[in-house]
Amino acid sequence: MKKLLFLLSVTVCCWLKTSAQTKVGPPLVVLTFDDAEVSHYQIVAPILKKFGFPATFMVCEMPWKTPADSVLYMNWKQIASLYKMGFEIGNHTGHHKNMTKLDRAGMIAEVSYIEQKCKENGIPKPISFAYPGNRSDSLSQVVLKEMGYKYIRAGNSQYLNLAEPTYVLPSFTMASTEKLKIRSLNALKNLKDGEALIFTIHGVPDIAHPDYTTDPEFLEELLQYIKSHDYQVIAMKDLDKYL
């Protein structure tokens, strides 16, 4: 009898383990917006509220080409307003620096700059980070982990497999060029259960960087597709609920 009970318990444990391994969650979409473009506050936030979608805004203080460029980017009062609306504020370095060109001290200084500005404006210390230009390396990954960042985002135009997460999260860049429009739509159409599609989005529109602009109408088209297909939309900080 004892042997029979033992064999039965082993069988049940194996079945439970197999069931846990094969359980697949719903398709996820993570919306991330880079560079603290003023259109994020003026245009994107109202559109997201209309659809009831969360998002992560990866902020930096973008260097201006001329003083007139200041109107193209959010100030910290506007960034704080996004946080008060319920959106996540992530770190995109202090001044949009290429992390692979910095030494350890330079990395810490750039990342800490945004943390301090967040603290001054009543925003929690970020736990999500996006590489400027999607340029990453092993040293920066070590530094970011030491500084408490749970999620760091790069590029590579790949889905995130929720069953096999990596520290450096892949993303698809969205824009309104014909090539990137098609790629963005196809990325949504081919998204499967157990995968997350992370979008990197710049200005909506992006006056300073036209090659990366996304038309408000195209953003709404994609959000409507997401809503009509019942995809789960989350901020980057909420990934731990699904991994």
Side-chain angles (χ1 to χ4, degrees):
M1 179 61 73
K2 289 182 178 179
K3 185 176 181 180
L4 179 61
L5 289 173
F6 172 75
L7 291 173
L8 180 61
S9 65
V10 170
T11 302
V12 170
C13 286
C14 290
W15 177 81
L16 289 173
K17 184 177 180 182
T18 302
S19 296
Q21 289 175 335
T22 57
K23 183 180 179 182
V24 178
L28 298 181
V29 176
V30 185
L31 302 170
T32 66
F33 295 85
D34 286 10
D35 298 350
E37 304 266 359
V38 73
S39 60
H40 296 169
Y41 176 75
Q42 295 174 339
I43 297 172
V44 173
I47 292 176
L48 292 173
K49 285 295 185 183
K50 170 184 170 182
F51 283 88
F53 289 161
T56 300
F57 291 90
M58 302 293 188
V59 302
C60 62
E61 291 186 1
M62 183 71 76
W64 306 337
K65 293 179 181 178
T66 70
D69 286 348
S70 63
V71 300
L72 302 179
Y73 301 99
M74 289 188 287
N75 57 46
W76 278 98
K77 182 178 179 181
Q78 292 168 325
I79 295 171
S81 293
L82 290 180
Y83 167 69
K84 292 173 184 175
M85 293 179 201
F87 298 113
E88 179 188 12
I89 304 301
N91 195 325
H92 200 39
T93 76
H95 308 92
H96 206 265
K97 291 290 184 70
N98 181 347
M99 290 282 279
T100 67
K101 301 294 185 182
L102 302 176
D103 59 15
R104 174 181 280 269
M107 292 177 186
I108 293 172
E110 278 295 308
V111 175
S112 297
Y113 181 86
I114 292 299
E115 294 178 355
Q116 181 59 34
K117 296 298 289 188
C118 284
K119 183 177 180 180
E120 292 170 3
N121 289 275
I123 302 168
K125 177 185 176 298
I127 62 169
S128 299
F129 177 89
Y131 280 109
N134 289 330
R135 303 179 187 94
S136 67
D137 62 7
S138 57
L139 175 60
S140 63
Q141 293 169 32
V142 171
V143 171
L144 288 164
K145 183 168 279 191
E146 291 174 350
M147 296 181 74
Y149 284 83
K150 293 184 66 175
Y151 308 108
I152 56 177
R153 195 213 71 211
N156 299 326
S157 301
Q158 296 176 349
Y159 299 109
L160 171 64
N161 184 341
L162 296 172
E164 300 176 0
T166 60
Y167 188 49
V168 181
L169 306 177
S171 72
F172 286 78
T173 296
M174 182 190 298
S176 289
T177 62
E178 197 59 34
K179 178 180 178 180
L180 291 182
K181 266 188 174 182
I182 293 171
R183 189 173 72 180
S184 297
L185 284 167
N186 285 338
L188 277 175
K189 291 176 181 178
N190 295 320
L191 181 61
K192 299 179 177 63
D193 288 351
E195 295 178 335
L197 167 57
I198 303 173
F199 273 124
T200 294
I201 310 167
H202 296 86
V204 185
D206 195 321
I207 306 301
H209 310 98
D211 289 344
Y212 293 98
T213 192
T214 296
D215 299 331
E217 297 79 12
F218 182 58
L219 177 63
E220 289 209 47
E221 178 185 344
L222 288 188
L223 297 186
Q224 185 58 56
Y225 184 95
I226 291 168
K227 195 174 189 72
S228 63
H229 286 75
D230 295 322
Y231 291 162
Q232 182 72 32
V233 181
I234 63 171
M236 189 171 286
K237 67 180 178 62
D238 296 318
L239 272 169
D240 60 346
K241 299 175 183 177
Y242 302 89
L243 296 177

